[in-house]
Amino acid sequence: MRIAIIGADGQLGTDLVEQCTREGHEVTSLTYNDIHIEDMDSVRAALTAAKPDAVFNAAAYHNVPKCETEVELAFAVNAKGPLNIARLSEQLGFAFVHYSTDYVFDGRKRAPYVETDAPNPLNIYSTSKLAGEYCALNYSSRGTVIRLSGIYGRIPSLMKGNNFVSIMVKLAAEKPEVRVVTDEILSPTPTTEIAEKSLAILRSGETGLYHLVSEGECSWFEFARTIWDTLELKTPLLETSVKEFASPVKRPFYSVLENAHYNRLPNAQPMTHWKEALVKFLNKNYRSL
Ligand SMILES: NC(=O)c1ccc[n+]([C@@H]2O[C@H](COP(=O)([O-])OP(=O)(O)OC[C@H]3O[C@@H](n4cnc5c(N)ncnc54)[C@H](OP(=O)(O)O)[C@@H]3O)[C@@H](O)[C@H]2O)c1
C-alpha cells in the first residue's frame, strides 16, 4: 500500500513511519516543510503528488495552554486541517486515519469512557480536536478517528519538546525532589504500540471512531513511580495534588479510555497493560543511558 504520514518527524509520526516501513508499505513522510494542513492548496499539492492509498495525520497543535490564547491557530490546525484532508480523501479516494485525544471528555464519568459516551471538552485544545473528529468522520466516507491518552515515544513530542518520561528523567537529574499529582487519572500509551495497532485498524477495512490506549489506568504519580522503580532513580519522588498547581486551563481529572470498538475487531490483539508497556519502553530506551 502507498501510505502518506503527516507529522512524520513527530513523536507518533516517527513510529508510524517505522511501522509502515517494517510492514513493507511504500511510505511518503510529510513534515511541516512539505505540508501545512490548514491550507487546502498545500494539502492538495502534497497529497496529489504522493498518490496515497491511505493517509495518517499525526500533525496537531497540542500545546494546551497556548491553545487558550491562540484560538484561531488551534482551530486552523486541529479542525480545518482534518477537514481539508477529509475533503481531499473524498476526491482522491484514499483512506484517512486521524488522531484525537482523551481530553474530549470532562472526566465526570469516573469510569473508562467508551466511544459512544458523549464528549464534553473543557478547553480550547480539546474543543478544536473534537471539531476535527467530526470533520474527519463526516467529510470522509473512509475516515477513521483514533483517540489517544498520555502518549510517549522515543522522540519526545516536537511541539512540547518533551514527553512525561523525558521530563521525569530530566527533573530527577536536576532537582532535589520531584512532586507529581495523584489526582489526575489516565491511560499512558507508547507510540510504538499505537502505530502497530493503527495499521491493524486500517487493514481491517473498518472505519469510524476508536479508543486506543494501554490497558488499565494510573495517576501521573503512579506513572512516575514506575519510571523511578524501573530506572532506580534516587531523587525523592513525592505525592502532590492538582490543587497545588494553579492553572488557568481546565482539564479532566479522569480521562481513561476503554478500547471497546477496537477489541470488537476480528483478530484484534489486545493492547498491553500500561505498566508492562512502560517498563519495556524504559528498559529499551533508557537503561543503556
Ligand atoms: N501528547 C499526548 O500526550 C497526546 C495525548 C492524546 C492525543 N495526542 C494526539 O496525538 C497526535 C500526535 O501527537 P505528537 O505528540 O506525536 O505530536 P508532535 O510530536 O508535536 O508532532 C506533531 C507534528 O505535527 C507537525 N505539525 C504541526 N503543525 C502542523 C501543520 N499546521 N501542518 C503540518 N504539520 C504540522 C509538527 O511539525 P513541526 O514540529 O515541524 O511544527 C510535528 O511533526 C496529535 O493528534 C495529538 O493531538 C497526544
Side-chain angles (χ1 to χ4, degrees):
M1 222 191 292
R2 270 197 301 269
I3 300 183
I5 295 161
I6 304 174
D9 55 354
Q11 179 167 228
L12 173 58
T14 309
D15 282 320
L16 281 168
V17 170
E18 273 190 21
Q19 184 65 31
C20 289
T21 307
R22 195 176 300 126
E23 294 190 16
H25 299 294
E26 196 182 310
V27 177
T28 302
S29 297
L30 299 170
T31 69
Y32 194 65
N33 291 331
D34 310 303
I35 186 169
H36 294 187
I37 58 172
E38 65 277 27
D39 174 359
M40 186 50 153
D41 291 341
S42 164
V43 172
R44 184 176 286 109
L47 294 182
T48 305
K51 297 189 180 63
D53 301 304
V55 172
F56 286 92
N57 176 37
Y61 189 68
H62 61 85
N63 183 315
V64 178
K66 275 195 177 170
C67 284
E68 292 296 305
T69 50
E70 299 188 8
V71 177
E72 285 81 7
L73 185 56
F75 276 88
V77 179
N78 295 337
K80 185 154 185 281
L83 174 63
N84 288 338
I85 303 164
R87 282 181 161 155
L88 204 66
S89 94
E90 282 303 272
Q91 293 168 25
L92 301 185
F94 57 77
F96 175 30
V97 180
H98 177 66
Y99 292 94
S100 188
T101 172
D102 52 342
Y103 274 21
V104 296
F105 295 112
D106 62 18
R108 291 198 194 111
K109 185 179 175 192
R110 295 258 164 206
Y113 284 96
V114 292
E115 291 85 352
T116 47
D117 283 323
N120 184 30
L122 299 177
N123 55 51
I124 296 296
Y125 164 66
S126 47
T127 304
S128 66
K129 291 293 286 186
L130 182 61
E133 291 187 0
Y134 289 121
C135 291
L137 293 173
N138 295 348
Y139 283 82
S140 169
S141 52
R142 299 188 66 198
T144 292
V145 169
I146 301 179
R147 289 185 182 140
L148 310 173
S149 170
I151 71 174
Y152 58 90
R154 199 168 34 84
I155 309 284
S157 165
L158 285 183
M159 176 159 286
K160 296 174 184 163
N162 54 49
N163 60 34
F164 186 71
V165 177
S166 64
I167 296 175
M168 288 299 114
V169 170
K170 186 166 183 285
L171 290 179
E174 292 174 355
K175 301 282 180 190
E177 61 180 39
V178 179
R179 290 175 184 272
V180 180
V181 301
T182 55
D183 45 6
E184 256 184 37
I185 313 293
L186 72 156
S187 328
T189 311
T191 47
T192 44
E193 193 165 4
I194 295 166
E196 187 193 317
K197 302 296 187 343
S198 294
L199 273 159
I201 292 173
L202 177 67
R203 272 197 308 276
S204 76
E206 303 262 343
T207 55
L209 179 61
Y210 293 83
H211 292 173
L212 194 66
V213 298
S214 293
E215 288 296 326
E217 61 183 59
C218 66
S219 66
W220 289 104
F221 178 83
E222 291 169 287
F223 189 174
R225 183 76 264 160
T226 304
I227 299 170
W228 255 246
D229 292 348
T230 309
L231 300 180
E232 298 170 70
L233 303 177
K234 301 289 177 257
T235 311
L237 174 68
L238 307 173
E239 295 185 0
T240 187
S241 161
V242 283
K243 295 179 195 93
E244 288 180 35
F245 296 94
S247 168
V249 189
K250 282 196 230 159
R251 296 167 194 259
F253 290 147
Y254 184 96
S255 61
V256 176
L257 305 180
E258 185 177 325
N259 305 321
H261 191 181
Y262 171 77
N263 286 334
R264 287 198 302 273
L265 290 179
N267 306 320
Q269 296 295 313
M271 291 292 282
T272 310
H273 189 273
W274 71 267
K275 198 179 246 187
E276 185 188 337
L278 177 57
V279 169
K280 189 173 160 199
F281 173 84
L282 293 167
N283 283 331
K284 184 168 178 207
N285 296 288
Y286 284 85
R287 265 294 180 191
S288 54
L289 297 183

